[in-house]
Amino acid sequence: MDRDLRILVVEPDPERVLGIINALTDAGWSDVKALARISGLNRTVKEFVPDIVLIDLTNPDRDTLEHISDATESSKRPVALFVDHTDEDLTQAALNAGVSAYVVDGLKMERIKSVLETAIARFKVMRQMQSELDAAKQALEDRKTIDRAKGILMRQRDMSEDEAYSLLRKTAMDQNRKVIDVAQALVTAADLLS
Amino acid sequence: MNGTVLNCGYVPLVDCAPLVIAKELGFAAEEGLALNLVRQPSWSALRDMLALGHLEAAQMLSPMPVAMSMGLGGLPARVDTLMVLSVNGTVFGVSNAVAAKLGDVPFGDADALLSALRAHSSGPLRIGVPFHYSMHRLLLSYWTSADEGFAVEEVTVPPPRMADAVAEEFVDAFWVGEPWGSVAVQRNVGQVMMTGGDVWKFAPEKVLAARHDWVENNTDSVRRLMRAVYHASSWLDSSKNRTLAVEILARSEHLSMSPDLIDPALSGQIVPRLHAAPRTVERFVGFNRHAASFPWRSQAAWIAHHLGADAVGIEKAKACFRSDLYRQNLSGVGVDMPGASEKVEGALKFETAVASTRGHMILAPDAFFDGKTFDFAG
């Protein structure tokens, strides 16, 4: 049975960790450890001896983990391996979900496959939420910049708000740029000249 | 944007400049390429994305394609080095605590620094490097192995975290690419003692890499990409373009940091410690001049040798440095080509004129700090 796999999750965001651990526990894996900070990674890997390490693809500490995998020379040498090269579908799914896996050498792919599938599902949800949050934040930032640009036009060219926005939009269309880019340029120029 | 879309991975460091300039100043567009630069948080992520086909090309540490071709590290794959993106451009520094113990060691004296470190360290020195398969690590072990009794513990630390690692005493010393050495200095946690060039005067640092099968099947895109990057690197080597280059690199979508931190690398004015006068380092980083972008097969051989390769491994490594493609794809745009694709590494003590197709080639010094030479021919 593969229920006795030791799984280490490296993830600095506590909420994400919780989500992933819950998903893994629900799926029947209870021997899961989470690690937020890389400074303890070396020791944790040596003490806990995980069969598989799950880490976010966007985590810069992956390089550190890879080095530990490379340098650990025992029969249980964990090999830094992205999900099985031969299973292309799973590999693509993991990449798209932003999860990378480091598994112990010799571990059967079937055993980690289900762990990965569970983790991938969880990573996907988290990633979706993150990108929605990022998009909302960006939209808010853009709104502010466009408002500032409108304000500048209203003040300096004595325009109404609608006129100011129309001018921004027309300029953007004429120059084949986005409204936000034109607004950003205007705000930057105004900052330089003020 | 029009043209063939090319996804190209990079890690935000000063020496990603040829790729950023190729995109921003239109060198790629002139070649009919829409260069989509994809920022990557780590070298292993970048490598996996390239190997698994999410990226067509990537900036890589020069030992990475060699290691991958030799089957070392995670995810072996056949990866070609199309050209060298930059030569040198790294610094070695120590924490303030270690610097205080060392006393007065002349800046840039690799020998003196090694004996001072040896004399003043009680246990093994923990040294941070960005990645196991990096020129930093190879130079570090080459340099420290000159003193057999000197114990070093290598720790992998992502460059943006190097200053933190020094501040938290997680490492005693570091070997890192700019601007992260300058960041450690500005944060007053460490001091820069020498540059990578003090150990090897002409070390290939970053390379432009692509999957071997992609290279074989996309000859036209490869040629256009190489030409765009060549023109960008040539533009970068002109000192009159430095201010603009610094300004472009500093932008939020690229390195996203103060121009003051990027300028030292491009100007070769390295500030060794906080409030000290900058030291002028000649050829701190090179992009194009002195055949910097030429992928010498002997450089690949040196890398493979120091990764522990046997004769077979060295041949494989040589084959992945595509000097043949460089000649083929860049001769049409008037690039001067060296007469040979291999040289004796470490033999040049001074600038030396060598045989080349147009007869204008001057190679820069490539000596090692210990004066050794490496001849991998035959």
Side-chain angles (χ1 to χ4, degrees):
Chain A
M1 276 302 284
D2 52 340
R3 293 293 185 248
D4 55 350
L5 280 184
R6 281 164 175 262
I7 306 170
L8 177 66
V9 180
V10 183
E11 171 62 63
D13 177 5
E15 257 178 64
R16 272 182 94 143
V17 167
L18 207 61
I20 295 163
I21 291 189
N22 284 344
L24 291 172
T25 318
D26 289 349
W29 294 282
S30 51
D31 205 355
V32 184
K33 200 179 181 101
L35 192 68
R37 282 183 60 81
I38 200 67
S39 23
L41 187 60
N42 216 328
R43 206 177 48 236
T44 310
V45 169
K46 273 178 198 146
E47 285 170 9
F48 186 60
V49 200
D51 295 305
I52 176 167
V53 182
L54 294 173
I55 186 167
D56 195 324
L57 201 61
T58 60
N59 191 329
D61 294 330
R62 271 192 72 193
D63 286 350
T64 313
L65 189 61
E66 175 137 338
H67 172 214
I68 296 170
S69 307
D70 250 13
T72 320
E73 291 195 42
S74 67
S75 56
K76 292 196 88 179
R77 190 170 89 100
V79 170
L81 183 87
F82 196 78
V83 288
D84 191 350
H85 211 23
T86 55
D87 190 340
E88 201 142 305
D89 290 345
L90 189 60
T91 302
Q92 290 302 331
L95 261 187
N96 291 332
V99 55
S100 55
Y102 286 72
V103 303
V104 167
D105 199 9
L107 201 66
K108 288 274 184 299
M109 194 54 201
E110 299 88 85
R111 298 185 70 205
I112 69 154
K113 192 169 175 158
S114 35
V115 177
L116 269 175
E117 278 166 353
T118 310
I120 286 169
R122 205 62 218 164
F123 267 76
K124 262 190 188 152
V125 174
M126 292 300 193
R127 167 163 273 220
Q128 176 92 26
M129 279 165 56
Q130 189 63 44
S131 59
E132 278 166 14
L133 190 67
D134 289 346
K137 270 190 198 154
Q138 190 58 48
L140 201 64
E141 279 304 309
D142 290 358
R143 194 75 256 151
K144 275 194 224 159
T145 307
I146 291 171
D147 282 347
R148 274 193 69 195
K150 277 196 294 192
I152 293 165
L153 289 175
M154 286 159 73
R155 251 193 335 274
Q156 299 201 339
R157 300 192 45 180
D158 202 21
M159 286 175 155
S160 74
E161 188 172 346
D162 283 350
E163 284 169 338
Y165 187 70
S166 298
L167 180 60
L168 282 176
R169 204 179 49 198
K170 185 178 180 308
T171 312
M173 281 166 70
D174 289 350
Q175 300 184 355
N176 197 17
R177 293 160 77 190
K178 290 188 204 152
V179 173
I180 174 64
D181 293 339
V182 175
Q184 185 66 59
L186 184 67
V187 170
T188 309
D191 284 349
L192 283 174
L193 296 173
S194 65
Chain B
M1 237 197 288
N2 301 317
T4 313
V5 180
L6 239 164
N7 295 308
C8 184
Y10 75 105
V11 172
L13 291 155
V14 171
D15 49 22
C16 72
L19 295 175
V20 169
I21 295 302
K23 179 193 164 82
E24 294 293 341
L25 293 185
F27 292 113
E30 271 171 31
E31 297 289 341
L33 289 179
L35 196 58
N36 182 28
L37 295 183
V38 188
R39 179 152 56 178
Q40 292 295 316
S42 66
W43 291 109
S44 34
L46 176 133
R47 178 204 59 208
D48 294 353
M49 297 282 271
L50 180 74
L52 296 167
H54 281 230
L55 298 169
E56 273 88 40
Q59 168 206 28
M60 277 191 163
L61 295 156
S62 59
M64 287 176 75
V66 174
M68 288 171 85
S69 298
M70 285 164 58
L72 296 172
L75 211 64
R78 261 191 96 180
V79 170
D80 283 350
T81 293
L82 302 175
M83 58 203 291
V84 176
L85 286 178
S86 61
V87 165
N88 296 342
T90 61
V91 299
F92 173 83
V94 297
S95 70
N96 284 344
V98 173
K101 276 195 272 179
L102 292 181
D104 254 350
V105 181
F107 182 84
D109 187 333
D111 277 313
L113 182 57
L114 188 59
S115 18
L117 281 171
R118 174 76 196 278
H120 290 94
S121 58
S122 37
L125 199 69
R126 283 172 69 88
I127 304 182
V129 294
F131 195 60
H132 189 65
Y133 298 109
S134 65
M135 185 50 74
H136 314 68
R137 207 266 298 174
L138 296 186
L139 290 179
L140 175 67
S141 60
Y142 181 80
W143 172 55
T144 52
S145 66
D147 185 337
E148 275 178 22
F150 187 42
V152 168
E153 192 183 333
E154 173 208 342
V155 190
T156 299
V157 181
R161 300 199 182 178
M162 200 62 90
D164 288 334
V166 177
E168 291 165 10
E169 296 179 348
F170 185 50
V171 297
D172 307 309
F174 55 92
W175 200 311
V176 76
E178 278 293 274
W180 301 106
S182 292
V183 169
V185 169
Q186 285 309 312
R187 285 187 47 194
N188 199 19
V189 295
Q191 300 189 13
V192 171
M193 305 302 289
M194 66 172 180
T195 67
D198 293 316
V199 172
W200 186 7
K201 291 235 176 299
F202 205 78
E205 172 56 33
K206 302 294 186 320
V207 296
L208 180 64
R211 267 188 328 284
H212 180 73
D213 56 350
W214 184 82
V215 171
E216 296 297 297
N217 295 325
N218 294 274
T219 45
D220 191 48
S221 296
V222 169
R223 185 177 67 244
R224 287 189 274 166
L225 175 65
M226 289 175 71
R227 278 160 48 148
V229 172
Y230 181 86
H231 289 307
S233 67
S234 158
W235 183 91
L236 271 166
D237 262 356
S238 176
S239 59
K240 69 179 193 307
N241 296 329
R242 201 180 72 225
T243 320
L244 182 55
V246 169
E247 194 266 325
I248 292 173
L249 284 172
R251 287 180 194 170
S252 58
E253 68 266 40
H254 304 307
L255 299 194
S256 189
M257 55 171 54
S258 154
D260 302 348
L261 288 168
I262 296 169
D263 188 72
L266 294 186
S267 61
Q269 299 287 314
I270 304 295
V271 178
R273 60 179 180 279
L274 200 60
H275 305 310
R279 311 292 296 238
T280 305
V281 179
E282 263 188 82
R283 301 184 201 90
F284 174 76
V285 61
F287 297 105
N288 180 274
R289 204 171 298 144
H290 308 299
S293 58
F294 188 81
W296 293 94
R297 298 212 169 194
S298 42
Q299 292 173 335
W302 189 89
I303 291 167
H305 174 68
H306 287 275
L307 288 175
D310 55 9
V312 179
I314 287 180
E315 281 315 307
K316 271 192 195 166
K318 278 184 182 177
C320 86
F321 263 49
R322 300 296 301 270
S323 40
D324 56 330
L325 280 182
Y326 189 95
R327 290 179 188 283
Q328 199 178 311
N329 289 336
L330 294 176
S331 56
V333 286
V335 175
D336 204 6
M337 299 286 170
S341 295
E342 297 183 24
K343 58 189 169 85
V344 178
E345 295 296 334
L348 302 178
K349 309 281 185 256
F350 314 97
E351 288 194 358
T352 309
V354 295
S356 69
T357 46
R358 295 174 67 220
H360 297 153
M361 184 160 286
I362 293 171
L363 295 186
D366 66 354
F368 291 88
F369 82 105
D370 55 7
K372 281 193 185 139
T373 59
F374 296 87
D375 186 359
F376 296 99

